[in-house]
Amino acid sequence: MKSTIYRKGKELFRKGKVRLDVETDKALYLKVEGEHEEYSVRLMNDDTFNCTCRLGTLKAGKGALCSHVVAAILFAVSRATSSQMQQPDQP
């Protein structure tokens, strides 16, 4: 992955440009506000993903990461981490 893609994704996440749209038992569907428009990102439980941006559409199924997917992954990890921290310890 190019460092510029990671930096852009991190910046989108940091600026709060990611929101959860729908959650199912198999996937998270997120909306990411890009520079020009809002994109839909799907993160599947089987570690696959896709994005409606040009890069995500052209490279679908080839494992190409765009900044929107990076932002969505950072959002999902942050969400999971904060959820685990809020759960009380089990005896």
Side-chain angles (χ1 to χ4, degrees):
M1 168 182 21
K2 291 183 180 180
S3 62
T4 55
I5 290 174
Y6 179 76
R7 275 196 308 269
K8 286 181 179 181
K10 186 176 176 182
E11 188 70 10
L12 289 169
F13 169 70
R14 190 184 66 74
K15 288 183 174 182
K17 302 289 186 174
V18 184
R19 67 179 170 81
L20 180 64
D21 190 27
V22 176
E23 179 177 8
T24 69
D25 59 332
K26 295 184 181 186
L28 290 178
Y29 296 84
L30 304 112
K31 299 290 186 180
V32 180
E33 187 181 327
E35 290 180 32
H36 307 289
E37 62 184 272
E38 184 175 79
Y39 300 101
S40 296
V41 175
R42 179 177 64 176
L43 302 177
M44 302 292 290
N45 289 350
D46 65 359
D47 295 332
T48 59
F49 53 83
N50 61 18
C51 179
T52 58
C53 75
R54 186 175 59 87
L55 177 62
T57 303
L58 292 174
K59 304 284 185 173
K62 297 179 182 161
L65 279 173
C66 63
S67 59
H68 315 110
V69 169
V70 170
I73 291 170
L74 292 172
F75 178 90
V77 168
S78 173
R79 185 173 176 264
T81 302
S82 66
S83 174
Q84 288 175 355
M85 292 176 135
Q86 293 175 1
Q87 293 179 3
D89 290 335
Q90 299 291 328

